[in-house]
Amino acid sequence: MKIKNRLWKDGKKCCLTFSFDDGRKHDYRLVDIFNKNGMKGTFNLNSGFMRDNGNHVMTKDVATLYTGHEVAVHSHTHPTLTELPSTIIIEEIMRDKQLLEQWWGHTVRGMAYPNGPFDQRIANLCRDCGMNYARTGASTSKFRLPEDFMFFHPTCNEFTEPDTLMKLWEDFVNIPVFRLNMPLFYMYGHSYNFEDWNMWDKIETFCKNAGGHPDVWYATNIEVFDYVRAQRMVDYAIDKNMAYNPSAISVWIDVDGKPIELKPGENKF
């Protein structure tokens, strides 16, 4: 009996997640598309702009609209953080976190860097403000997990050409487990670009094609973070015949080609 690979939740081979910024009114349509196709997304909101003025998601709708998804920080007023002193960065993050938690009704634990720029100083400040992860705008066209979730790089964005997008997806779902454990497909962007650039068909088609796949777990960014953290805590025996899960959630591992659940506090085999 040998433990071979780590698996996603429920023994799935792959994981798909989304991240969309700014909280514009077009999130209503995007969330509807996600819900119809079993997708899960993370929505990074700027609380300083959400004044129920018709251009953004109404604050009274945050809790209901994003049910089953994740609300995350994008700073209070969307400045470029690398241009600011540390005190203002902290204020931008904490004010956004505070208001989003009030509207959403859950603890907000993740974020996306506004305007893209980031560095180690910014990452350290964000972590000190309670952020468990921070998404960058640096697309990789790859499916690897980050070593440090404060530099959470996506696979692609909403402007990826349809043919390229579907090629990425086919490559992703056909990756052999022995080549890459726990591959992650991560798309990010802005919902208003689907409207501005007449691209709604692209995201609708992608979600229809990607939805309901038996080997894919559909998760929010924070669910990805929590699960990967738990997987990285597992202790394995030298002979690969035992594993101990010290975390508070179940993880799944491949044992002799079969997915096995390792429950919290369980030492198996």
Side-chain angles (χ1 to χ4, degrees), residues 20 156-160 187-191 193-194 199 202:
F20 282 84
C156 63
N157 63 29
E158 79 273 42
F159 287 111
T160 305
M187 178 189 283
Y188 86 101
H190 304 81
S191 62
N193 280 329
F194 294 122
M199 300 192 302
K202 180 196 292 188

Side-chain angles (χ1 to χ4, degrees), residues 14-18 33-34 36-40 165-166 168-170 172-173 185 187 202-218:
C14 307
C15 179
L16 172 62
T17 193
F18 295 90
I33 293 170
F34 282 176
K36 287 179 179 178
N37 294 282
M39 306 287 111
K40 283 192 173 185
L165 185 60
M166 291 315 301
L168 278 171
W169 178 253
E170 291 300 320
F172 170 69
V173 293
F185 192 109
M187 178 189 283
K202 180 196 292 188
I203 189 63
E204 289 176 342
T205 299
F206 178 77
C207 288
K208 287 178 182 177
N209 289 334
H213 197 290
D215 289 333
V216 178
W217 177 42
Y218 304 93

Side-chain angles (χ1 to χ4, degrees), residues 145-180:
L145 296 171
E147 292 185 14
D148 184 344
F149 270 87
M150 297 311 294
F151 305 100
F152 199 176
H153 302 310
T155 304
C156 63
N157 63 29
E158 79 273 42
F159 287 111
T160 305
E161 290 296 326
D163 289 347
T164 302
L165 185 60
M166 291 315 301
K167 177 63 165 57
L168 278 171
W169 178 253
E170 291 300 320
D171 290 345
F172 170 69
V173 293
N174 290 306
I175 293 175
V177 175
F178 65 82
R179 183 174 298 170
L180 180 63

